Structures are given as C-alpha cells and as structure tokens.
Amino acid sequence: CGCKGIRSCLLCEGPAQAAPPPQGEDNFTYCPATGLAKGNEDSEFAAWAFPFPGVFLAEEFISKDEESEIVELMDRDDWKPSQSGRKKQDYGPKVNFKKQRLKAGSFTGLPSFSKKIVAQMKGCSVLGGFLPVEQCNLDYMPERGSAIDPHFDDWWLWGERLVSLNLLSKTVLSMSCDSEDSIQLFPIFSKENGELSRPRSLTQTSACKNSGEAGDNCIFSPRLVPSKEVTVAIHLPQRSLVVLYGDARYKWKHAIYRKHIEHRRICVTFRELSAEFSAGGRHEELGKELLEIALSFQGRPV
C-alpha cells in the first residue's frame, strides 16, 4: 500500500488489525435546502441548528451513462497506491508544498473526458470564472479500509473553491473544526403529534422564568458550544457535485471516514489557482502557463 507515517489501511494493518484510525461521530447534518447544520436526533444537539456557509451541493450532476463512461476511461490508466487505502491518478503540476516550489514537470493537462464536466460547471452559481489547473482522482474501496483524515487543502497554491464529483456510491464528508471559538446554536421547533417540541437543554430568558410563561411568545436564548465539540456530516449522493468555499474551505477540516465507504467510490477533485498565481499575482505568468496546459485537455496521469 502507499501508507506512510501514522497512516494505515486494512492492507498494512494485517490480520490482527491495529486499532483503526479515529472515526468521529458526526453530531450535526448539513441541510442543502436551508444551509443549516441541524443537530442529529440521537445527539445532545437534537433540535438545535446553526448556519453552515460555504457549501454548494448539486445532485445528479452527471447521468448514469456519463458516470459509466468516465469510470471506464479512468480504469484504462494505472491507479497508483496512495495513503490510507486509497489509489490515485494525478493530473497537475509538480509541487513541493513544504518548500513552496512549483513547475510544470510532466504535466500535460487535464484528461479529455473532463472537458465536458468543466463546461457543465459554468452553470453552477458558485463556479463563475472557475478554471481548474489540477485534477486528482481518488479510488476508495472498503476492502482496503480507504479513508482520508481531517485536513485542509493547501491555500498557498490552491484557490478559494474546491470542487469534487462523487462517483459510484454515496458517502459522507465529515467536517470538523479545531478553532478555540464557540458556535452559537439556535433552537429549531419541529411538530410532533401536532404539537411543537422544543430542543433539549433549552434555556429560557430570565424574563420568561420570572413570569412563568412557557407559551409561543416566550423567547429562548441561543446556546454556545465549543467549535471542537461540533462535527457536521455532509451527505454526498452518487453522481453529486460538492463545492467547498469560504468558511467550509478555510475554517473547517474535511474527512472521509472508513465507515462511510460501503462500496467502491471515486472522487474527482478539481482545484483552481490561488491569487498569487492568478491575474495580478506575484506568479501570474507561471499560473497562465499552467492553465494553458491544464485546459488543453490532452493529459495523462503524472
């Protein structure tokens, strides 16, 4: 396998498997219709919610036939072993993130089958002007214990928006935050048996307590919780496209846990250039050169 350091998979853990990597329990679930992260019913945050900005989710972004064709074309090329039970195909420049060095290397562009996908992205409201300079295909299999630990994507080279197409099976993108800040939760009321039910641990204002009111006119105060105690599940259906930007890109780490890989899953991630390599940036010319290569759509995995 391709595991290094603290990374492991079912292949290298062996028959007497070591303790699997930590797999957090998500206590909130992202709702695409409202943009809220809502507390899960079986958690202490049931009936609480907070705004979770920076996520765009498009279901059925491509058809079943398009999916089949894309995967067939991918499988004609070799998949290289990667860490944590994944396999990968990279289409992008040669990068040393630690030393912040970048060159075209053997990069010959994004694959031809991505031209239609990139064109279709222009119809997404959050992807205006999106020009991908890199594509990474990751193959996940339950038999290998495939996963990816909570992490931020680099922002020296990669820009504001991370775009991923989820193929072959559904999964869950788990979001976590290491910030010392707190999150302000707001109560949400749901109807049960025709009556409004209030969240657990709901705090009434002192005015309500003093008056003895408990009706709908009573105001309830928000609840503050440490960011580190909150994890948000973003459910990714098969053939869906997800975009992370803003807070979801820079404040929240994203992960795929082993338990959420039930069948073969392929993730196709596209990245754009940061401001440093874009128009007016310090390395604008190098950025132009890399984009010209990328958007020729004549590439093979590097």
Side-chain angles (χ1 to χ4, degrees):
C1 67
C3 295
K4 300 175 185 176
I6 62 170
R7 308 285 183 258
S8 68
C9 66
L10 291 180
L11 300 180
C12 63
E13 287 167 14
Q17 293 171 17
Q23 303 189 60
E25 290 294 332
D26 299 314
N27 44 32
F28 284 80
T29 297
Y30 177 73
C31 174
T34 61
L36 295 175
K38 297 182 178 181
N40 295 337
E41 289 184 7
D42 58 352
S43 80
E44 64 173 300
F45 302 114
W48 291 90
F50 67 98
F52 195 81
V55 179
F56 172 85
L57 183 66
E59 297 189 21
E60 294 291 335
F61 186 74
I62 60 172
S63 68
K64 289 182 180 180
D65 288 343
E66 288 171 327
E67 177 186 48
S68 297
E69 181 182 1
I70 289 168
V71 173
E72 181 186 348
L73 290 170
M74 285 181 183
D75 285 342
R76 292 180 185 177
D77 287 313
D78 292 334
W79 289 91
K80 295 180 180 179
S82 185
Q83 298 198 64
S84 302
R86 291 168 283 135
K87 290 188 177 182
K88 67 179 180 180
Q89 295 174 339
D90 280 324
Y91 299 83
K94 186 176 178 63
V95 189
N96 185 321
F97 289 104
K98 186 175 287 188
K99 297 181 179 179
Q100 293 195 343
R101 293 178 181 171
L102 172 69
K103 61 181 180 180
S106 56
F107 180 38
T108 54
L110 304 189
S112 58
F113 62 78
S114 292
K115 188 171 186 178
K116 185 177 179 181
I117 300 172
V118 172
Q120 196 167 325
M121 288 180 191
K122 295 178 181 177
C124 299
S125 57
V126 300
L127 290 177
F130 183 79
L131 297 174
V133 72
E134 192 251 13
Q135 175 178 331
C136 180
N137 304 333
L138 289 174
D139 182 298
Y140 292 73
M141 288 284 281
E143 295 84 355
R144 298 195 300 264
S146 302
I148 189 164
D149 292 340
H151 68 283
F152 292 113
D153 278 33
D154 172 83
W155 48 66
W156 160 69
L157 176 58
W158 309 133
E160 166 82 7
R161 295 162 291 188
L162 304 176
V163 184
S164 291
L165 183 61
N166 187 58
L167 303 178
L168 295 183
S169 63
K170 65 180 181 180
T171 193
V172 176
L173 191 62
S174 296
M175 312 293 290
S176 58
C177 186
D178 292 338
S179 169
E180 296 296 331
D181 296 339
S182 294
I183 293 175
Q184 190 174 55
L185 307 181
F186 296 91
I188 53 177
F189 298 95
S190 60
K191 287 191 175 182
E192 294 180 3
N193 300 323
E195 296 183 0
L196 288 175
S197 65
R198 295 190 175 87
R200 303 168 198 165
S201 307
L202 192 59
T203 304
Q204 292 184 353
T205 61
S206 57
C208 288
K209 289 179 179 178
N210 294 337
S211 67
E213 293 180 13
D216 292 339
N217 293 328
C218 187
I219 299 173
F220 294 87
S221 62
R223 176 182 174 186
L224 287 177
V225 297
S227 297
K228 291 180 178 179
E229 294 182 8
V230 172
T231 55
V232 180
I234 302 175
H235 289 266
L236 304 181
Q238 185 177 348
R239 294 186 298 281
S240 64
L241 184 88
V242 65
V243 183
L244 301 182
Y245 60 97
D247 284 0
R249 160 80 163 104
Y250 296 113
K251 291 186 179 180
W252 292 81
K253 291 181 177 180
H254 56 277
I256 300 284
Y257 292 119
R258 185 179 288 183
K259 63 185 177 183
H260 291 139
I261 300 298
E262 301 173 359
H263 307 282
R264 187 188 185 194
R265 178 225 177 201
I266 291 178
C267 172
V268 186
T269 295
F270 299 91
R271 298 179 176 95
E272 63 184 340
L273 290 168
S274 67
E276 188 170 335
F277 294 88
S278 301
R282 190 156 57 104
H283 299 299
E284 176 183 357
E285 290 306 313
L286 177 55
K288 281 183 180 178
E289 176 192 345
L290 294 174
L291 273 175
E292 186 174 342
I293 295 171
L295 300 178
S296 69
F297 295 102
Q298 297 176 0
R300 298 292 301 273
V302 295

